[in-house]
Every structure is written in C-alpha cells, then in structure tokens.
Amino acid sequence: MRKIGILGRGTMALGIVQIFAEKEYEVLMWVRSLDETNPRQSVKPIERVLDRLVQKGKTTEEHMNITLSNIEIVNDLNSLRDCDLIIEAISEDMEIKKGIFKKLDNICKENTILATNTSSLSISEIANVTRRSDKVIGMHFFNPVPLMKLVEVIKGIATSDETKERIIKISKEVGKTPVEVQEAPGFVVNRILIPMINEAVGILADGVATKEDIDEAMKLGANHPMGPLALADLIGLDVCLAIMDVLYKEFGDTKYRAHPLLRKMVRGNLLGRKTKRGFYQY
Ligand code: CAA
C-alpha cells in the first residue's frame, strides 16, 4: 500500500497525514472546501510543527521538504479513486460518515481499504452502507498522533482477517504499535479514559479540589503525563462529551452519564485548546 487518502483537516487528520508523509507514502489529503487562493493552507500546521523540529535539530530541512512534497491537497473525492487505503478522520457524526463511505465505495477501486478513525462509533454500521464491508475497518489513532504509539485496530462484524492484517502491517510501518480490539462502544482506551475525565469534572464541580490540584494529583499520584482536565482540553471537550453520550446511549448505564458541567462548557463553546478556552486558557 503506497497511496493513502486521508479525509479531514482537524488535529487528528493532520497528525495522520504527517506520519504517512514522513514515511514517504504518497498522501492525498482531502478537505471539504479548498482555499483556492492558497490550496496549501491546509498543510500549514504540519509545516509549523516540522519547522520547529528543524529549529531544534530533530529533523533536517531536506526531510521536512520531502515530507511536505509527499502531501497533495484535494477536494474532489474522485481524486481518491486509486488509493490503496483511505483513512477518514472527519467529524464524529454517523450520518456524515455513512454518506462519505457510500460515496467512497462507489468511487474507489475494488481493493481499496476504507478505514475510519472514529473514536467510538460502530464500524459495522459504517461498513453496512458499502458493498465492501470486508474491507472496512477501524484505525483509531491518539492525539498527538506523531507522538502517541498506539493504534487500535477494530474489526467490524464483516471485516476480513486479511484487511486486519494489512492494517496491522501498515500501522507498524508508520512506527505505531497496533492493538486488536473487538467492536464495542469506546473500544478500550476511550472507555477507560473518558469516564475518568468525566469523573475529574465531577470532582471539580463538587469543589473537592482546584483544577490545578486535580491535575497535579493525577500526574504525581498516578504517573499520568498530564492531568485529566488538561487532557480534556487537549482532546476537546466536545469530543469528550460526544464519547460519553455514545457510552451512555449504548450501555444505558448511568455511570456513563456526562457531567452537567462538561455539557455546559461545550454549550458555551469552551472546548479546550481549539477555542483557546476550556478548563485552562491558551
Ligand atoms: N511530530 C514530531 N515530534 C513532535 C511533534 C510532532 N507533531 N510535536 C512535538 N514533538 C516533539 C517535541 O519536539 C518534543 O521534543 P523535545 O522534548 O525533544 O523537544 C517532544 O515531541 C515532546 O513534546 P512536548 O515537550 O510538547 O511534550 P511533552 O513531553 O510535554 O508530552 C504529550 C506531551 C505527549 C502530549 C504528553 O503530555 C502526553 O502523553 N499526554 C497524554 C496524551 C494522551 O493521553 N493522549 C490520548 C488522548 S485520547 C485520544 O486521542 C483518543 C480519542 O479518540 C479522544
């Protein structure tokens, strides 16, 4: 697999684009709307990251230029026709995802694998709108993608072993450690991590400790690299809320009920780093 289509322009999509381009894959980054006057605008965040790494002497300017030249920006799904693998990293909306997968199924060559970076939605349901459910799979990366080693590889009910093996292989080729996970709400990491963040929000709302002390406590007491509230800001409070809502809806267990403070902050657009305000200011 050499030609990789990546859908989206958010943090996750950009990270996935970066790691494939760094390993010399031919990357087509699909964005819904293109800035006609400056089509390369979408890769600017990657340029900034690589530029910083050059300044720090962690990569060379030559490698940065090669990486950037491996990325082509497209906004016509038809351009993805010949891709060997497509990784979708657009918004966490089942209907939008289904619409895109249906189109991709009609457009792409027969053996293209269609992967989704969904953080909690059903792979089987997405696959069901295609005529290639054996070639639809979950490939779940973690934020920040270039630094986080894990990829959860999730088979839907009809995903073939061959598709799974190919995704495991390519995940290793881009320097990740794949873990095979059965389809279940939140898979493994988010089913543990997001309720933990939700609990931290509850602790804050109850006035048990300040946000700084909650984060410090988990850093020093549980050896987490960052505290749960700072992590929520990194992930995005909207993403955390959406995952809690999926867990609650799927399991029907009140232990997964999103804390009202989390919902209130999302309604107020305090989404974390992306809106420059969450539990902290950026
Ligand atoms: N590409 C390559 N290298 C990069 C980079 C990039 N995009 N961005 C930063 N780096 C390098 C930096 O240059 C830096 O190198 P030096 O220290 O040598 O200068 C190094 O990586 C570390 O950068 P930082 O100093 O910023 O990082 P840190 O040591 O403070 O760690 C962290 C940052 C990795 C985010 C760490 O705090 C951490 O692991 N936090 C937890 C993250 C986590 O849990 N993520 C999962 C979220 S859940 C999820 O994503 C799933 C979902 O569906 C919601």
Side-chain angles (χ1 to χ4, degrees), residues 205-235:
D206 290 348
V208 176
T210 63
K211 56 180 186 286
E212 291 84 3
D213 284 349
I214 293 168
D215 279 350
E216 193 72 349
M218 288 306 286
K219 276 164 72 180
L220 302 182
N223 242 359
H224 288 191
M226 64 203 298
L229 300 172
L231 181 56
D233 280 355
L234 175 74
I235 294 171

mmCIF file of all heavy atoms in Angstrom, residues 205-235:
data_model
loop_
_atom_site.group_PDB
_atom_site.id
_atom_site.type_symbol
_atom_site.label_atom_id
_atom_site.label_comp_id
_atom_site.label_asym_id
_atom_site.label_seq_id
_atom_site.Cartn_x
_atom_site.Cartn_y
_atom_site.Cartn_z
ATOM 1 N N ALA A 205 -16.450 20.096 39.975
ATOM 2 C CA ALA A 205 -17.762 20.714 40.238
ATOM 3 C C ALA A 205 -18.152 20.591 41.713
ATOM 4 O O ALA A 205 -18.798 21.479 42.262
ATOM 5 C CB ALA A 205 -18.821 20.055 39.344
ATOM 6 N N ASP A 206 -17.751 19.494 42.343
ATOM 7 C CA ASP A 206 -18.064 19.296 43.773
ATOM 8 C C ASP A 206 -17.192 20.161 44.680
ATOM 9 O O ASP A 206 -17.395 20.180 45.896
ATOM 10 C CB ASP A 206 -17.854 17.824 44.172
ATOM 11 C CG ASP A 206 -18.912 16.909 43.563
ATOM 12 O OD1 ASP A 206 -19.910 17.435 43.035
ATOM 13 O OD2 ASP A 206 -18.728 15.680 43.599
ATOM 14 N N GLY A 207 -16.195 20.813 44.105
ATOM 15 C CA GLY A 207 -15.316 21.659 44.910
ATOM 16 C C GLY A 207 -14.334 20.863 45.768
ATOM 17 O O GLY A 207 -13.818 21.356 46.770
ATOM 18 N N VAL A 208 -14.075 19.613 45.363
ATOM 19 C CA VAL A 208 -13.157 18.774 46.145
ATOM 20 C C VAL A 208 -11.720 19.304 46.052
ATOM 21 O O VAL A 208 -10.966 19.264 47.021
ATOM 22 C CB VAL A 208 -13.217 17.299 45.649
ATOM 23 C CG1 VAL A 208 -12.206 16.426 46.383
ATOM 24 C CG2 VAL A 208 -14.628 16.747 45.832
ATOM 25 N N ALA A 209 -11.357 19.793 44.878
ATOM 26 C CA ALA A 209 -10.008 20.361 44.695
ATOM 27 C C ALA A 209 -10.042 21.311 43.507
ATOM 28 O O ALA A 209 -10.975 21.278 42.694
ATOM 29 C CB ALA A 209 -8.992 19.242 44.444
ATOM 30 N N THR A 210 -9.019 22.152 43.403
ATOM 31 C CA THR A 210 -8.951 23.064 42.258
ATOM 32 C C THR A 210 -8.537 22.270 41.020
ATOM 33 O O THR A 210 -8.016 21.156 41.127
ATOM 34 C CB THR A 210 -7.876 24.151 42.480
ATOM 35 O OG1 THR A 210 -6.599 23.501 42.572
ATOM 36 C CG2 THR A 210 -8.164 24.962 43.725
ATOM 37 N N LYS A 211 -8.726 22.885 39.849
ATOM 38 C CA LYS A 211 -8.353 22.182 38.617
ATOM 39 C C LYS A 211 -6.856 21.861 38.601
ATOM 40 O O LYS A 211 -6.449 20.771 38.219
ATOM 41 C CB LYS A 211 -8.762 22.970 37.367
ATOM 42 C CG LYS A 211 -8.217 24.385 37.268
ATOM 43 C CD LYS A 211 -8.726 25.028 35.980
ATOM 44 C CE LYS A 211 -8.131 26.394 35.717
ATOM 45 N NZ LYS A 211 -8.652 27.469 36.563
ATOM 46 N N GLU A 212 -6.062 22.829 39.079
ATOM 47 C CA GLU A 212 -4.608 22.607 39.097
ATOM 48 C C GLU A 212 -4.261 21.436 40.011
ATOM 49 O O GLU A 212 -3.422 20.599 39.658
ATOM 50 C CB GLU A 212 -3.869 23.856 39.586
ATOM 51 C CG GLU A 212 -3.914 25.049 38.642
ATOM 52 C CD GLU A 212 -5.173 25.896 38.790
ATOM 53 O OE1 GLU A 212 -6.017 25.604 39.676
ATOM 54 O OE2 GLU A 212 -5.345 26.866 38.013
ATOM 55 N N ASP A 213 -4.927 21.378 41.170
ATOM 56 C CA ASP A 213 -4.598 20.307 42.122
ATOM 57 C C ASP A 213 -5.111 18.944 41.647
ATOM 58 O O ASP A 213 -4.473 17.914 41.892
ATOM 59 C CB ASP A 213 -5.137 20.645 43.522
ATOM 60 C CG ASP A 213 -4.247 21.699 44.206
ATOM 61 O OD1 ASP A 213 -3.141 21.977 43.686
ATOM 62 O OD2 ASP A 213 -4.660 22.244 45.249
ATOM 63 N N ILE A 214 -6.253 18.945 40.981
ATOM 64 C CA ILE A 214 -6.749 17.665 40.419
ATOM 65 C C ILE A 214 -5.718 17.139 39.418
ATOM 66 O O ILE A 214 -5.318 15.967 39.442
ATOM 67 C CB ILE A 214 -8.123 17.852 39.727
ATOM 68 C CG1 ILE A 214 -9.202 18.197 40.760
ATOM 69 C CG2 ILE A 214 -8.518 16.608 38.940
ATOM 70 C CD1 ILE A 214 -10.523 18.675 40.169
ATOM 71 N N ASP A 215 -5.247 18.030 38.549
ATOM 72 C CA ASP A 215 -4.270 17.612 37.531
ATOM 73 C C ASP A 215 -2.943 17.199 38.168
ATOM 74 O O ASP A 215 -2.361 16.176 37.790
ATOM 75 C CB ASP A 215 -4.067 18.729 36.497
ATOM 76 C CG ASP A 215 -5.175 18.733 35.448
ATOM 77 O OD1 ASP A 215 -5.960 17.761 35.424
ATOM 78 O OD2 ASP A 215 -5.257 19.683 34.647
ATOM 79 N N GLU A 216 -2.504 17.991 39.138
ATOM 80 C CA GLU A 216 -1.238 17.668 39.805
ATOM 81 C C GLU A 216 -1.347 16.312 40.515
ATOM 82 O O GLU A 216 -0.416 15.494 40.469
ATOM 83 C CB GLU A 216 -0.906 18.788 40.812
ATOM 84 C CG GLU A 216 0.500 18.763 41.358
ATOM 85 C CD GLU A 216 1.561 19.179 40.328
ATOM 86 O OE1 GLU A 216 1.246 19.298 39.139
ATOM 87 O OE2 GLU A 216 2.716 19.373 40.754
ATOM 88 N N ALA A 217 -2.504 16.091 41.142
ATOM 89 C CA ALA A 217 -2.701 14.842 41.882
ATOM 90 C C ALA A 217 -2.570 13.636 40.959
ATOM 91 O O ALA A 217 -1.919 12.644 41.291
ATOM 92 C CB ALA A 217 -4.072 14.859 42.569
ATOM 93 N N MET A 218 -3.189 13.721 39.777
ATOM 94 C CA MET A 218 -3.140 12.574 38.866
ATOM 95 C C MET A 218 -1.772 12.425 38.206
ATOM 96 O O MET A 218 -1.355 11.322 37.870
ATOM 97 C CB MET A 218 -4.247 12.694 37.803
ATOM 98 C CG MET A 218 -5.632 12.455 38.356
ATOM 99 S SD MET A 218 -5.799 10.871 39.242
ATOM 100 C CE MET A 218 -5.820 9.726 37.858
ATOM 101 N N LYS A 219 -1.074 13.536 38.048
ATOM 102 C CA LYS A 219 0.286 13.443 37.485
ATOM 103 C C LYS A 219 1.224 12.770 38.488
ATOM 104 O O LYS A 219 1.972 11.864 38.147
ATOM 105 C CB LYS A 219 0.812 14.850 37.137
ATOM 106 C CG LYS A 219 0.344 15.316 35.762
ATOM 107 C CD LYS A 219 0.509 16.792 35.568
ATOM 108 C CE LYS A 219 1.938 17.237 35.399
ATOM 109 N NZ LYS A 219 2.006 18.705 35.205
ATOM 110 N N LEU A 220 1.135 13.223 39.726
ATOM 111 C CA LEU A 220 2.081 12.710 40.726
ATOM 112 C C LEU A 220 1.591 11.429 41.400
ATOM 113 O O LEU A 220 2.399 10.609 41.824
ATOM 114 C CB LEU A 220 2.358 13.788 41.788
ATOM 115 C CG LEU A 220 2.928 15.102 41.240
ATOM 116 C CD1 LEU A 220 3.204 16.083 42.375
ATOM 117 C CD2 LEU A 220 4.205 14.853 40.433
ATOM 118 N N GLY A 221 0.274 11.281 41.480
ATOM 119 C CA GLY A 221 -0.256 10.116 42.189
ATOM 120 C C GLY A 221 -0.541 8.923 41.292
ATOM 121 O O GLY A 221 -0.664 7.797 41.783
ATOM 122 N N ALA A 222 -0.665 9.166 39.997
ATOM 123 C CA ALA A 222 -0.950 8.039 39.100
ATOM 124 C C ALA A 222 0.049 7.996 37.939
ATOM 125 O O ALA A 222 -0.102 7.190 37.035
ATOM 126 C CB ALA A 222 -2.389 8.141 38.570
ATOM 127 N N ASN A 223 1.019 8.907 37.999
ATOM 128 C CA ASN A 223 2.070 8.965 36.978
ATOM 129 C C ASN A 223 1.537 9.219 35.568
ATOM 130 O O ASN A 223 2.084 8.713 34.580
ATOM 131 C CB ASN A 223 2.906 7.681 36.986
ATOM 132 C CG ASN A 223 4.354 7.991 37.321
ATOM 133 O OD1 ASN A 223 4.712 9.164 37.518
ATOM 134 N ND2 ASN A 223 5.193 6.973 37.368
ATOM 135 N N HIS A 224 0.448 9.942 35.456
ATOM 136 C CA HIS A 224 -0.061 10.297 34.128
ATOM 137 C C HIS A 224 0.782 11.461 33.593
ATOM 138 O O HIS A 224 1.138 12.365 34.361
ATOM 139 C CB HIS A 224 -1.537 10.694 34.211
ATOM 140 C CG HIS A 224 -2.439 9.535 34.464
ATOM 141 N ND1 HIS A 224 -3.804 9.613 34.363
ATOM 142 C CD2 HIS A 224 -2.180 8.241 34.810
ATOM 143 C CE1 HIS A 224 -4.350 8.439 34.634
ATOM 144 N NE2 HIS A 224 -3.377 7.593 34.909
ATOM 145 N N PRO A 225 1.072 11.471 32.291
ATOM 146 C CA PRO A 225 1.908 12.558 31.763
ATOM 147 C C PRO A 225 1.252 13.924 31.860
ATOM 148 O O PRO A 225 1.938 14.938 31.949
ATOM 149 C CB PRO A 225 2.127 12.165 30.294
ATOM 150 C CG PRO A 225 1.080 11.153 29.997
ATOM 151 C CD PRO A 225 0.720 10.489 31.274
ATOM 152 N N MET A 226 -0.056 13.956 31.835
ATOM 153 C CA MET A 226 -0.762 15.226 32.072
ATOM 154 C C MET A 226 -2.043 14.929 32.849
ATOM 155 O O MET A 226 -2.575 13.816 32.768
ATOM 156 C CB MET A 226 -1.016 15.989 30.765
ATOM 157 C CG MET A 226 -1.931 15.331 29.770
ATOM 158 S SD MET A 226 -1.662 15.908 28.070
ATOM 159 C CE MET A 226 -2.045 17.620 28.224
ATOM 160 N N GLY A 227 -2.544 15.924 33.561
ATOM 161 C CA GLY A 227 -3.743 15.700 34.368
ATOM 162 C C GLY A 227 -4.985 15.575 33.492
ATOM 163 O O GLY A 227 -4.996 15.983 32.330
ATOM 164 N N PRO A 228 -6.089 15.020 34.054
ATOM 165 C CA PRO A 228 -7.297 14.745 33.256
ATOM 166 C C PRO A 228 -7.958 15.991 32.670
ATOM 167 O O PRO A 228 -8.528 15.929 31.572
ATOM 168 C CB PRO A 228 -8.226 14.041 34.244
ATOM 169 C CG PRO A 228 -7.682 14.338 35.598
ATOM 170 C CD PRO A 228 -6.219 14.550 35.440
ATOM 171 N N LEU A 229 -7.880 17.123 33.381
ATOM 172 C CA LEU A 229 -8.554 18.326 32.870
ATOM 173 C C LEU A 229 -7.728 18.958 31.753
ATOM 174 O O LEU A 229 -8.277 19.400 30.732
ATOM 175 C CB LEU A 229 -8.833 19.310 34.009
ATOM 176 C CG LEU A 229 -9.734 18.719 35.118
ATOM 177 C CD1 LEU A 229 -9.832 19.656 36.311
ATOM 178 C CD2 LEU A 229 -11.127 18.378 34.577
ATOM 179 N N ALA A 230 -6.417 18.954 31.908
ATOM 180 C CA ALA A 230 -5.554 19.425 30.814
ATOM 181 C C ALA A 230 -5.687 18.505 29.600
ATOM 182 O O ALA A 230 -5.690 18.956 28.452
ATOM 183 C CB ALA A 230 -4.100 19.466 31.275
ATOM 184 N N LEU A 231 -5.851 17.227 29.866
ATOM 185 C CA LEU A 231 -6.021 16.267 28.761
ATOM 186 C C LEU A 231 -7.350 16.499 28.043
ATOM 187 O O LEU A 231 -7.425 16.440 26.812
ATOM 188 C CB LEU A 231 -5.934 14.831 29.306
ATOM 189 C CG LEU A 231 -6.061 13.702 28.281
ATOM 190 C CD1 LEU A 231 -5.015 13.838 27.176
ATOM 191 C CD2 LEU A 231 -5.922 12.337 28.949
ATOM 192 N N ALA A 232 -8.397 16.806 28.823
ATOM 193 C CA ALA A 232 -9.698 17.114 28.209
ATOM 194 C C ALA A 232 -9.562 18.301 27.269
ATOM 195 O O ALA A 232 -10.112 18.304 26.162
ATOM 196 C CB ALA A 232 -10.730 17.412 29.291
ATOM 197 N N ASP A 233 -8.805 19.309 27.696
ATOM 198 C CA ASP A 233 -8.575 20.478 26.834
ATOM 199 C C ASP A 233 -7.832 20.081 25.562
ATOM 200 O O ASP A 233 -8.079 20.633 24.491
ATOM 201 C CB ASP A 233 -7.748 21.536 27.582
ATOM 202 C CG ASP A 233 -8.594 22.372 28.539
ATOM 203 O OD1 ASP A 233 -9.828 22.203 28.553
ATOM 204 O OD2 ASP A 233 -8.008 23.195 29.264
ATOM 205 N N LEU A 234 -6.902 19.137 25.678
ATOM 206 C CA LEU A 234 -6.148 18.678 24.506
ATOM 207 C C LEU A 234 -7.047 17.889 23.547
ATOM 208 O O LEU A 234 -7.050 18.124 22.332
ATOM 209 C CB LEU A 234 -4.969 17.793 24.952
ATOM 210 C CG LEU A 234 -4.153 17.135 23.833
ATOM 211 C CD1 LEU A 234 -3.273 18.173 23.133
ATOM 212 C CD2 LEU A 234 -3.266 16.011 24.366
ATOM 213 N N ILE A 235 -7.842 17.003 24.103
ATOM 214 C CA ILE A 235 -8.722 16.158 23.266
ATOM 215 C C ILE A 235 -9.835 17.005 22.642
ATOM 216 O O ILE A 235 -10.221 16.798 21.492
ATOM 217 C CB ILE A 235 -9.351 15.025 24.116
ATOM 218 C CG1 ILE A 235 -8.271 14.054 24.610
ATOM 219 C CG2 ILE A 235 -10.415 14.274 23.333
ATOM 220 C CD1 ILE A 235 -8.781 13.040 25.639
#
